[in-house]
Amino acid sequence: MSDRFDRKGFVVTGGTRGIGRKVVLAAAAEGAEVVFCGRAESAATGAEVESAVRAAGGRAWFVPADIAAEDDVERLFDVAGEVLPSIDVVVNNAGVARDALLVRATLADWNEVIGVNLRGPFLTCRRAVGEMLTQDGGGRIVNVASFTANGLVGAAGYAASKSALLSLTRSVAKEYGRRGIACNAVVPGFVDTDMTRDYDPAAKARLAKLSPHNRFGRPEEVADAILFLASAEASFVTGDAVYVSGAVRDVPRLTP
């Protein structure tokens, strides 16, 4: 195990699968103590991640929480405050997509996407900053945005939430940078996660060709960028967006 994050306390939302799972496992492998959450129905998967971390000699705690709900976010941080030595790094990774062309999109889907992808990070950042202001060392917040912030056919709600998340990131960085709190975003492109696994194979192959690597990104590649932003190595990086998109910045549509 590395000691880059020795005795550092991490809070990771959406930590049971995909990018978030890789962040939990990698941070713990580098000495961090991690509290992570997922919705209640992911409790079994959360227990698996906990066990994997502990089997490798690390420490992690799963908390069932819906980050769109204020009470759940408060409870998540209450648990973190009890078990972690401090709250040094917060990673806003939880997200949902409900893709549809605008005229077919429902208000319920819009509200769910905005709730998880934007209200959730607002609630998490607000509580995180409150905790970090009481700590001598400040802290680091990393928000997981998306290249769809540039706009994407069939994903207006998702794109809007991720664009707003980039603005939230810059605002937090400007408000609290003088207090030792850094806030940055990673901007993934197409990544092999549950969100993209059900894409039509032919469409997925065409999308992969948009990158010179001719493939989708891997969750661990995004996790590596997140851990860089969480580390002392990124001491002068705040209010910034680090793309992990394989050179893909825009795409006309998800389907032919």
Side-chain angles (χ1 to χ4, degrees):
M1 288 178 65
S2 163
D3 61 356
R4 179 163 60 152
F5 298 114
D6 186 39
R7 295 287 294 166
K8 295 291 186 182
F10 274 58
V11 176
V12 180
T13 70
T16 61
R17 60 183 184 168
I19 294 167
R21 182 185 184 118
K22 294 296 184 181
V23 171
V24 172
L25 295 172
E30 296 200 48
E33 300 183 21
V34 187
V35 169
F36 66 102
C37 74
R39 287 179 170 173
E41 56 266 32
S42 64
T45 309
E48 290 175 7
V49 177
E50 271 189 1
S51 297
V53 169
R54 291 175 181 170
R59 304 187 75 192
W61 297 263
F62 170 74
V63 178
D66 177 354
I67 67 161
E70 184 174 17
D71 288 348
D72 281 17
V73 172
E74 293 299 308
R75 180 166 48 82
L76 171 66
F77 277 87
D78 287 345
V79 172
E82 291 172 2
V83 301
L84 297 179
S86 54
I87 296 175
D88 302 291
V89 176
V90 173
V91 179
N92 276 305
N93 169 72
V96 297
R98 297 289 181 263
D99 293 340
L101 292 172
L102 186 65
V103 295
R104 298 174 186 167
T106 67
L107 181 59
D109 283 348
W110 172 274
N111 287 338
E112 182 184 8
V113 169
I114 297 299
V116 175
N117 296 0
L118 185 57
R119 183 168 71 244
F122 156 71
L123 293 170
T124 304
C125 285
R126 185 179 65 176
R127 178 65 187 270
V129 168
E131 296 290 336
M132 291 171 180
L133 286 173
T134 68
Q135 301 172 172
D136 291 339
R140 305 193 69 86
I141 299 170
V142 185
N143 297 322
V144 180
S146 168
F147 80 122
T148 63
N150 297 321
L152 186 66
V153 172
Y158 188 80
S161 70
K162 295 301 186 177
S163 180
L165 182 57
L166 290 173
S167 293
L168 175 64
T169 298
R170 292 188 289 268
S171 296
V172 172
K174 291 178 178 181
E175 287 185 15
Y176 296 102
R178 288 180 176 83
R179 302 293 298 274
I181 298 171
C183 186
N184 291 289
V186 293
V187 185
F190 290 114
V191 181
D192 269 321
T193 66
D194 290 350
M195 281 190 181
T196 61
R197 218 153 271 151
D198 293 333
Y199 283 9
D200 174 76
K204 189 170 182 178
R206 285 192 295 273
L207 293 172
K209 289 179 181 177
L210 294 172
S211 169
H213 298 297
N214 194 25
R215 65 174 175 83
F216 280 19
R218 302 182 185 102
E220 57 268 27
E221 292 172 321
V222 183
D224 286 343
I226 291 170
L227 293 187
F228 163 71
L229 292 173
S231 74
E233 297 160 6
S235 58
F236 195 61
V237 184
T238 191
D240 287 320
V242 175
Y243 275 73
V244 190
S245 63
V248 179
R249 294 295 180 100
D250 198 11
V251 62
R253 59 191 302 129
L254 287 176
T255 56

